Amino acid sequence: MDAAELQRRKNLCAATLDRLGRVTPPSLRPPPWLRFVAKEKGHGRFTPRINEVKIGVAGVLDDPAMTDGMIEALVAHEMGHWADPDLDSAMFRSRIVCLPVLALGFLVPLVLVVRALLTGDATNLVVYSVVALMVGIVGAHALSPFFEWRGEYFADRFAAESTSAEKVISLMKHFLAQGSRFSSHSHPSRARRIRRIELDSIGASEQQTTAKGRGWPLPPQ
């Protein structure tokens, strides 16, 4: 991809971010900064601490198969995290619940080591320590979706409403087709997210059809 086309795509990202930052109802934050990085594991990311949206270049903006609609959907998804009024509290609740579970997994082996040093009895020390570590790590990973998946669904819905459901779904299918399996414990699977967007889109369409048929005011888009 030549430099001019890549720059055009970067300009599209900036224009999409600027548009959503102006038309979105007031957020808890000012409009975010936009930064392009050579490589981003999740293709894009919003970092609340510094109020910044990052978009990856390699495999994302420089991919000829990425359409303008997909690029808009990607930026809109990250802006969905920016606009999420519950993002900070959800992250706080996740830390309050998950970090103690993870810390316990490291604290128990430490206690066992101290006990072994004091008593001279190291029977099953390694086994118990490994089990405690695994329980802590797996427990924290198992609990985090209860707090973080809601944010991903919110961002997907925001992107679908501010661009279109078709653009967001095409972006998800594109990443699936190229073999991208980025779906950590903090993210629902892409197939699950696609299905959620489709259901939201069907529900909104039925609501509009009912309202139109009964002469009710249509819900805002």
Side-chain angles (χ1 to χ4, degrees):
M1 178 175 294
D2 60 38
E5 174 59 16
L6 182 59
Q7 185 59 51
R8 187 192 70 81
R9 292 174 172 229
K10 290 182 177 180
N11 292 342
L12 177 60
C13 290
T16 302
L17 184 143
D18 180 65
R19 175 177 67 84
L20 297 179
R22 285 186 287 106
V23 304
T24 302
S27 172
L28 299 175
R29 306 172 180 82
W33 299 98
L34 175 63
R35 182 161 66 99
F36 300 100
V37 294
K39 189 74 173 178
E40 174 58 42
K41 181 181 179 182
H43 309 107
R45 178 181 297 274
F46 171 67
T47 307
R49 181 175 55 83
I50 56 178
N51 194 35
E52 178 185 77
V53 169
K54 290 192 298 184
I55 302 295
V57 173
V60 184
L61 289 187
D62 67 355
D63 182 355
M66 282 282 287
T67 66
D68 285 3
M70 293 178 188
I71 293 172
E72 290 174 357
L74 176 62
V75 176
H77 174 86
E78 301 310 325
M79 286 297 286
H81 290 303
W82 167 80
D84 186 352
D86 196 41
L87 178 62
D88 291 332
S89 58
M91 292 176 63
F92 177 75
R93 291 193 298 268
S94 177
R95 294 190 189 103
I96 289 296
V97 174
C98 297
L99 287 182
V101 175
L102 182 62
L104 188 62
F106 287 89
L107 180 61
V108 170
L110 180 61
V111 172
L112 292 174
V113 169
V114 172
R115 177 180 176 277
L117 291 174
L118 292 176
T119 64
D121 181 10
T123 305
N124 295 323
L125 173 62
V126 174
V127 173
Y128 291 155
S129 297
V130 170
V131 170
L133 284 170
M134 292 302 298
V135 169
I137 294 172
V138 172
H141 277 66
L143 289 170
S144 62
F146 289 99
F147 305 96
E148 299 179 15
W149 282 20
R150 183 213 61 82
E152 292 304 317
Y153 287 136
F154 180 95
D156 285 344
R157 185 167 60 253
F158 178 92
E161 292 174 351
S162 57
T163 58
S164 74
E166 291 75 16
K167 290 179 180 179
V168 181
I169 291 173
S170 67
L171 175 68
M172 299 285 182
K173 289 183 176 179
H174 168 71
F175 287 142
L176 278 174
Q178 68 174 190
S180 172
R181 296 186 176 275
F182 178 76
S183 181
S184 70
H185 66 282
S186 63
H187 287 65
S189 69
R190 296 197 189 281
R192 186 187 295 268
R193 291 166 67 182
I194 290 171
R195 181 58 179 161
R196 186 69 170 261
I197 295 168
E198 290 173 340
L199 290 174
D200 286 346
S201 180
I202 292 172
S205 177
E206 290 177 347
Q207 184 181 13
Q208 289 187 0
T209 300
T210 300
K212 185 177 179 180
R214 298 185 180 182
W216 297 343
L218 292 176
Q221 299 298 306

